[in-house]
Amino acid sequence: MDEDLKVLRDYLLFTVPHVTVLAGAVFGILLVLGIPVVTALGVFMVFYSLMLIVLGLIIRPHVSGMLWYQLLMLLFAVLLAGGLFILLAGDRVYM
């Protein structure tokens, strides 16, 4: 395994769990506040994907040429688009 892949793996291994817990806490707070589940899920997906994109941008100078990095950033963008779709059309689609 080359050095750049190890950097990417270690960075994701030690940061993504923290982001997941924080986004999950926001989701739980929204549910406790009585926000509809579809809206809370959309906010969760947007918040989670934006935080993952920020993490990806932080590590970009080290691993930007790697295929795995590009695929992860694409996945984060798809997650963001899904969250926006749920926020904008969730009530019409899921209700």
Side-chain angles (χ1 to χ4, degrees):
M1 184 181 302
D2 67 342
E3 192 63 31
D4 288 340
L5 188 56
K6 287 181 184 179
V7 168
L8 179 63
R9 181 200 62 198
D10 291 344
Y11 190 77
L12 292 175
L13 183 68
F14 292 114
T15 56
V16 171
H18 295 89
V19 170
T20 305
V21 169
L22 179 61
V26 169
F27 180 66
I29 290 170
L30 290 173
L31 291 178
V32 168
L33 291 175
I35 304 295
V37 175
V38 174
T39 304
L41 183 61
V43 170
F44 165 77
M45 286 179 67
V46 169
F47 182 66
Y48 186 49
S49 61
L50 285 176
M51 290 181 64
L52 290 173
I53 288 171
V54 168
L55 288 176
L57 292 175
I58 290 171
I59 199 171
R60 182 180 180 160
H62 302 287
V63 295
S64 62
M66 294 180 56
L67 177 64
W68 283 109
Y69 171 77
Q70 295 168 357
L71 290 174
L72 281 172
M73 291 303 285
L74 178 64
L75 175 69
F76 299 159
V78 168
L79 186 64
L80 177 63
L84 290 173
F85 174 75
I86 288 175
L87 275 177
L88 297 175
D91 291 339
R92 291 183 295 260
V93 174
Y94 296 106
M95 295 291 175

